[in-house]
Structure formats: C-alpha cells, structure tokens
Amino acid sequence: QQQQQQQRPVVLWLLRSGDKMEFNLRQIAKNQYNLDDSCLVFANVAPRLEHLKRLALADLFLDTPAYNAHTVGCDALYAGVPIVSLLQPDTRFQSNLQNNNNNNNNNNN
C-alpha cells in the first residue's frame, strides 16, 4: 500500500493594493484558471522585522517585469528565499543586481 504524501496548498502571496485590484485578481483566478479563492493571499504592509519574518515563510519569490524587485528581492535573498525573475530585454539594471546578489549569496554558503 502506497502512502499518499500530504501536500501544502499553493498560494500566490501579494501585497494588498486596494479592493478593486484584489477583486479583479480573484475573478481572474476563478474564471480563467478555476482556482479556489484561497489561492490568493493579500498581505498588508508590515514593519521591517515582521516583513522579514513572514518573507522567510515563502518557498519562492517571483520577480516580475512590472516591479523588478530591488530592495524586496534583496530581502528575499537575505531570508534565504530563492528568486525567479521574469525578465524583459530592457531590465538590465535590475537583472544585473539580482545576478550579483545571487552570486554573492552562493559564495557565502
């Protein structure tokens, strides 16, 4: 008898930016991807120490071209969270910063 592994739910954790944005993203998740409402978690801005503690709970940090993580990306690396960057051709500064931070982080281990 093969025992089934218990899997954690997968969520997309986003910074709360207003009711309209939250509503629209929940509608897209439901209507276009048939995802449960609980797959989106919206977090409020938090004091720095709280931010770093909750960031460390993440399994992956997704850096998107719309924002190009800089400080928060560095925070993610500091918390030990790997980053995946979705890059566009004109995002050299931010991608170079992330590559440099990733290389420095790997050299420190």
Side-chain angles (χ1 to χ4, degrees):
Q1 178 179 350
Q2 191 175 22
Q3 193 174 17
Q4 289 185 345
Q5 283 187 318
Q6 187 86 2
Q7 292 186 358
R8 295 185 314 180
V10 175
V11 298
L12 181 60
W13 190 8
L14 303 160
L15 180 63
R16 180 165 280 126
S17 294
D19 294 339
K20 185 172 183 174
M21 184 217 49
E22 189 171 329
F23 174 81
N24 289 339
L25 287 176
R26 290 190 188 283
Q27 290 300 306
I28 291 169
K30 178 182 175 187
N31 297 331
Q32 293 183 18
Y33 300 100
N34 198 30
L35 296 173
D36 187 76
D37 197 44
S38 64
C39 73
L40 296 177
V41 175
F42 294 91
N44 292 320
V45 173
R48 181 143 176 83
L49 289 178
E50 183 181 336
H51 159 71
L52 291 172
K53 286 180 184 178
R54 75 180 180 195
L55 185 57
L57 299 173
D59 295 315
L60 182 69
F61 182 93
L62 180 61
D63 175 20
T64 63
Y67 290 97
N68 286 113
H70 187 272
T71 303
V72 179
C74 293
D75 290 345
L77 293 172
Y78 177 80
V81 179
I83 295 177
V84 171
S85 292
L86 304 175
L87 301 177
Q88 292 179 342
D90 61 344
T91 57
R92 284 185 222 122
F93 172 74
Q94 291 89 349
S95 64
N96 288 338
L97 175 72
Q98 290 303 335
N99 287 333
N100 187 42
N101 284 333
N102 283 331
N103 288 336
N104 288 337
N105 193 35
N106 288 336
N107 292 334
N108 291 331
N109 290 329

mmCIF file of all heavy atoms in Angstrom, residues 54-80:
data_model
loop_
_atom_site.group_PDB
_atom_site.id
_atom_site.type_symbol
_atom_site.label_atom_id
_atom_site.label_comp_id
_atom_site.label_asym_id
_atom_site.label_seq_id
_atom_site.Cartn_x
_atom_site.Cartn_y
_atom_site.Cartn_z
ATOM 1 N N ARG A 54 7.920 37.128 7.906
ATOM 2 C CA ARG A 54 6.915 36.463 7.067
ATOM 3 C C ARG A 54 7.479 36.140 5.693
ATOM 4 O O ARG A 54 7.096 35.150 5.082
ATOM 5 C CB ARG A 54 5.623 37.264 7.007
ATOM 6 C CG ARG A 54 5.631 38.487 6.164
ATOM 7 C CD ARG A 54 4.281 39.189 6.189
ATOM 8 N NE ARG A 54 4.339 40.365 5.346
ATOM 9 C CZ ARG A 54 3.464 41.328 5.366
ATOM 10 N NH1 ARG A 54 2.429 41.277 6.189
ATOM 11 N NH2 ARG A 54 3.588 42.356 4.571
ATOM 12 N N LEU A 55 8.418 36.936 5.192
ATOM 13 C CA LEU A 55 9.052 36.636 3.912
ATOM 14 C C LEU A 55 9.798 35.305 3.982
ATOM 15 O O LEU A 55 9.797 34.528 3.025
ATOM 16 C CB LEU A 55 10.004 37.770 3.523
ATOM 17 C CG LEU A 55 10.675 37.687 2.167
ATOM 18 C CD1 LEU A 55 9.645 37.585 1.052
ATOM 19 C CD2 LEU A 55 11.563 38.896 1.949
ATOM 20 N N ALA A 56 10.392 35.012 5.113
ATOM 21 C CA ALA A 56 11.124 33.757 5.287
ATOM 22 C C ALA A 56 10.213 32.531 5.203
ATOM 23 O O ALA A 56 10.690 31.414 5.000
ATOM 24 C CB ALA A 56 11.869 33.766 6.622
ATOM 25 N N LEU A 57 8.910 32.714 5.306
ATOM 26 C CA LEU A 57 7.954 31.600 5.205
ATOM 27 C C LEU A 57 7.706 31.182 3.755
ATOM 28 O O LEU A 57 7.163 30.114 3.499
ATOM 29 C CB LEU A 57 6.620 31.980 5.853
ATOM 30 C CG LEU A 57 6.675 32.320 7.340
ATOM 31 C CD1 LEU A 57 5.320 32.839 7.809
ATOM 32 C CD2 LEU A 57 7.108 31.105 8.138
ATOM 33 N N ALA A 58 8.100 32.029 2.813
ATOM 34 C CA ALA A 58 7.856 31.739 1.395
ATOM 35 C C ALA A 58 8.815 30.669 0.887
ATOM 36 O O ALA A 58 9.925 30.503 1.389
ATOM 37 C CB ALA A 58 8.017 33.016 0.576
ATOM 38 N N ASP A 59 8.369 29.930 -0.124
ATOM 39 C CA ASP A 59 9.215 28.930 -0.768
ATOM 40 C C ASP A 59 9.935 29.499 -1.985
ATOM 41 O O ASP A 59 10.971 28.996 -2.397
ATOM 42 C CB ASP A 59 8.364 27.734 -1.223
ATOM 43 C CG ASP A 59 7.762 26.992 -0.055
ATOM 44 O OD1 ASP A 59 8.485 26.729 0.928
ATOM 45 O OD2 ASP A 59 6.558 26.677 -0.106
ATOM 46 N N LEU A 60 9.356 30.555 -2.562
ATOM 47 C CA LEU A 60 9.898 31.127 -3.783
ATOM 48 C C LEU A 60 9.447 32.576 -3.903
ATOM 49 O O LEU A 60 8.310 32.902 -3.568
ATOM 50 C CB LEU A 60 9.384 30.332 -4.993
ATOM 51 C CG LEU A 60 9.870 30.745 -6.366
ATOM 52 C CD1 LEU A 60 11.365 30.417 -6.522
ATOM 53 C CD2 LEU A 60 9.075 30.009 -7.438
ATOM 54 N N PHE A 61 10.327 33.433 -4.393
ATOM 55 C CA PHE A 61 9.995 34.835 -4.639
ATOM 56 C C PHE A 61 9.947 35.030 -6.148
ATOM 57 O O PHE A 61 10.916 34.741 -6.850
ATOM 58 C CB PHE A 61 11.065 35.744 -4.020
ATOM 59 C CG PHE A 61 10.790 37.206 -4.176
ATOM 60 C CD1 PHE A 61 10.123 37.908 -3.187
ATOM 61 C CD2 PHE A 61 11.202 37.888 -5.313
ATOM 62 C CE1 PHE A 61 9.870 39.272 -3.323
ATOM 63 C CE2 PHE A 61 10.954 39.244 -5.455
ATOM 64 C CZ PHE A 61 10.282 39.932 -4.461
ATOM 65 N N LEU A 62 8.807 35.488 -6.666
ATOM 66 C CA LEU A 62 8.645 35.720 -8.089
ATOM 67 C C LEU A 62 8.835 37.202 -8.381
ATOM 68 O O LEU A 62 8.075 38.041 -7.906
ATOM 69 C CB LEU A 62 7.261 35.266 -8.551
ATOM 70 C CG LEU A 62 6.947 35.452 -10.029
ATOM 71 C CD1 LEU A 62 7.918 34.647 -10.892
ATOM 72 C CD2 LEU A 62 5.509 35.020 -10.301
ATOM 73 N N ASP A 63 9.860 37.515 -9.153
ATOM 74 C CA ASP A 63 10.172 38.888 -9.538
ATOM 75 C C ASP A 63 9.600 39.103 -10.933
ATOM 76 O O ASP A 63 9.952 38.399 -11.868
ATOM 77 C CB ASP A 63 11.684 39.071 -9.533
ATOM 78 C CG ASP A 63 12.125 40.429 -10.024
ATOM 79 O OD1 ASP A 63 11.321 41.369 -10.016
ATOM 80 O OD2 ASP A 63 13.300 40.536 -10.422
ATOM 81 N N THR A 64 8.704 40.064 -11.065
ATOM 82 C CA THR A 64 8.036 40.295 -12.346
ATOM 83 C C THR A 64 8.524 41.578 -13.003
ATOM 84 O O THR A 64 8.964 42.502 -12.321
ATOM 85 C CB THR A 64 6.512 40.386 -12.148
ATOM 86 O OG1 THR A 64 6.225 41.512 -11.312
ATOM 87 C CG2 THR A 64 5.955 39.122 -11.513
ATOM 88 N N PRO A 65 8.434 41.651 -14.334
ATOM 89 C CA PRO A 65 8.866 42.865 -15.031
ATOM 90 C C PRO A 65 8.114 44.116 -14.598
ATOM 91 O O PRO A 65 8.652 45.211 -14.683
ATOM 92 C CB PRO A 65 8.570 42.552 -16.508
ATOM 93 C CG PRO A 65 8.558 41.072 -16.584
ATOM 94 C CD PRO A 65 8.042 40.595 -15.252
ATOM 95 N N ALA A 66 6.895 43.964 -14.122
ATOM 96 C CA ALA A 66 6.120 45.132 -13.699
ATOM 97 C C ALA A 66 6.761 45.833 -12.504
ATOM 98 O O ALA A 66 6.631 47.039 -12.342
ATOM 99 C CB ALA A 66 4.695 44.713 -13.360
ATOM 100 N N TYR A 67 7.457 45.103 -11.658
ATOM 101 C CA TYR A 67 8.047 45.689 -10.450
ATOM 102 C C TYR A 67 9.558 45.591 -10.398
ATOM 103 O O TYR A 67 10.215 46.433 -9.828
ATOM 104 C CB TYR A 67 7.460 45.035 -9.190
ATOM 105 C CG TYR A 67 6.028 45.420 -8.983
ATOM 106 C CD1 TYR A 67 5.000 44.594 -9.408
ATOM 107 C CD2 TYR A 67 5.698 46.627 -8.398
ATOM 108 C CE1 TYR A 67 3.676 44.968 -9.236
ATOM 109 C CE2 TYR A 67 4.383 47.010 -8.223
ATOM 110 C CZ TYR A 67 3.381 46.167 -8.644
ATOM 111 O OH TYR A 67 2.086 46.539 -8.479
ATOM 112 N N ASN A 68 10.144 44.549 -10.946
ATOM 113 C CA ASN A 68 11.574 44.294 -10.857
ATOM 114 C C ASN A 68 12.089 44.517 -9.437
ATOM 115 O O ASN A 68 12.532 45.597 -9.076
ATOM 116 C CB ASN A 68 12.362 45.139 -11.846
ATOM 117 C CG ASN A 68 12.193 44.638 -13.249
ATOM 118 O OD1 ASN A 68 11.604 45.310 -14.065
ATOM 119 N ND2 ASN A 68 12.669 43.451 -13.534
ATOM 120 N N ALA A 69 11.997 43.475 -8.662
ATOM 121 C CA ALA A 69 12.394 43.531 -7.259
ATOM 122 C C ALA A 69 13.800 44.104 -7.117
ATOM 123 O O ALA A 69 14.699 43.767 -7.861
ATOM 124 C CB ALA A 69 12.340 42.138 -6.655
ATOM 125 N N HIS A 70 13.925 44.939 -6.154
ATOM 126 C CA HIS A 70 15.229 45.509 -5.837
ATOM 127 C C HIS A 70 15.446 45.276 -4.348
ATOM 128 O O HIS A 70 15.994 44.254 -3.964
ATOM 129 C CB HIS A 70 15.269 46.996 -6.220
ATOM 130 C CG HIS A 70 16.629 47.589 -6.079
ATOM 131 N ND1 HIS A 70 17.061 48.130 -4.906
ATOM 132 C CD2 HIS A 70 17.648 47.723 -6.953
ATOM 133 C CE1 HIS A 70 18.309 48.569 -5.057
ATOM 134 N NE2 HIS A 70 18.676 48.344 -6.291
ATOM 135 N N THR A 71 14.950 46.162 -3.517
ATOM 136 C CA THR A 71 15.125 46.012 -2.074
ATOM 137 C C THR A 71 14.427 44.759 -1.560
ATOM 138 O O THR A 71 15.000 43.992 -0.785
ATOM 139 C CB THR A 71 14.598 47.261 -1.339
ATOM 140 O OG1 THR A 71 15.284 48.404 -1.856
ATOM 141 C CG2 THR A 71 14.817 47.162 0.147
ATOM 142 N N VAL A 72 13.196 44.532 -1.999
ATOM 143 C CA VAL A 72 12.462 43.352 -1.518
ATOM 144 C C VAL A 72 13.117 42.077 -2.034
ATOM 145 O O VAL A 72 13.153 41.061 -1.341
ATOM 146 C CB VAL A 72 10.973 43.415 -1.915
ATOM 147 C CG1 VAL A 72 10.230 42.183 -1.431
ATOM 148 C CG2 VAL A 72 10.329 44.662 -1.330
ATOM 149 N N GLY A 73 13.675 42.123 -3.243
ATOM 150 C CA GLY A 73 14.418 40.971 -3.749
ATOM 151 C C GLY A 73 15.639 40.678 -2.889
ATOM 152 O O GLY A 73 15.942 39.517 -2.589
ATOM 153 N N CYS A 74 16.336 41.721 -2.481
ATOM 154 C CA CYS A 74 17.479 41.548 -1.568
ATOM 155 C C CYS A 74 17.004 40.994 -0.228
ATOM 156 O O CYS A 74 17.667 40.141 0.373
ATOM 157 C CB CYS A 74 18.208 42.871 -1.378
ATOM 158 S SG CYS A 74 19.040 43.464 -2.857
ATOM 159 N N ASP A 75 15.841 41.477 0.239
ATOM 160 C CA ASP A 75 15.264 40.951 1.483
ATOM 161 C C ASP A 75 14.983 39.463 1.351
ATOM 162 O O ASP A 75 15.228 38.683 2.279
ATOM 163 C CB ASP A 75 13.963 41.675 1.831
ATOM 164 C CG ASP A 75 14.164 43.109 2.275
ATOM 165 O OD1 ASP A 75 15.303 43.492 2.597
ATOM 166 O OD2 ASP A 75 13.151 43.846 2.308
ATOM 167 N N ALA A 76 14.451 39.038 0.201
ATOM 168 C CA ALA A 76 14.140 37.625 -0.019
ATOM 169 C C ALA A 76 15.412 36.783 0.053
ATOM 170 O O ALA A 76 15.443 35.739 0.711
ATOM 171 C CB ALA A 76 13.437 37.432 -1.360
ATOM 172 N N LEU A 77 16.448 37.235 -0.615
ATOM 173 C CA LEU A 77 17.716 36.500 -0.562
ATOM 174 C C LEU A 77 18.265 36.453 0.859
ATOM 175 O O LEU A 77 18.765 35.419 1.311
ATOM 176 C CB LEU A 77 18.730 37.131 -1.514
ATOM 177 C CG LEU A 77 18.405 37.001 -2.994
ATOM 178 C CD1 LEU A 77 19.377 37.823 -3.833
ATOM 179 C CD2 LEU A 77 18.422 35.541 -3.425
ATOM 180 N N TYR A 78 18.178 37.562 1.573
ATOM 181 C CA TYR A 78 18.627 37.622 2.967
ATOM 182 C C TYR A 78 17.865 36.603 3.818
ATOM 183 O O TYR A 78 18.433 35.967 4.708
ATOM 184 C CB TYR A 78 18.433 39.033 3.511
ATOM 185 C CG TYR A 78 18.796 39.185 4.968
ATOM 186 C CD1 TYR A 78 20.123 39.328 5.359
ATOM 187 C CD2 TYR A 78 17.812 39.165 5.951
ATOM 188 C CE1 TYR A 78 20.453 39.458 6.699
ATOM 189 C CE2 TYR A 78 18.139 39.288 7.298
ATOM 190 C CZ TYR A 78 19.462 39.432 7.660
ATOM 191 O OH TYR A 78 19.786 39.548 8.994
ATOM 192 N N ALA A 79 16.561 36.437 3.515
ATOM 193 C CA ALA A 79 15.724 35.491 4.266
ATOM 194 C C ALA A 79 15.919 34.060 3.787
ATOM 195 O O ALA A 79 15.297 33.140 4.326
ATOM 196 C CB ALA A 79 14.254 35.897 4.146
ATOM 197 N N GLY A 80 16.755 33.846 2.773
ATOM 198 C CA GLY A 80 17.017 32.502 2.280
ATOM 199 C C GLY A 80 16.000 32.000 1.268
ATOM 200 O O GLY A 80 15.899 30.807 1.023
#
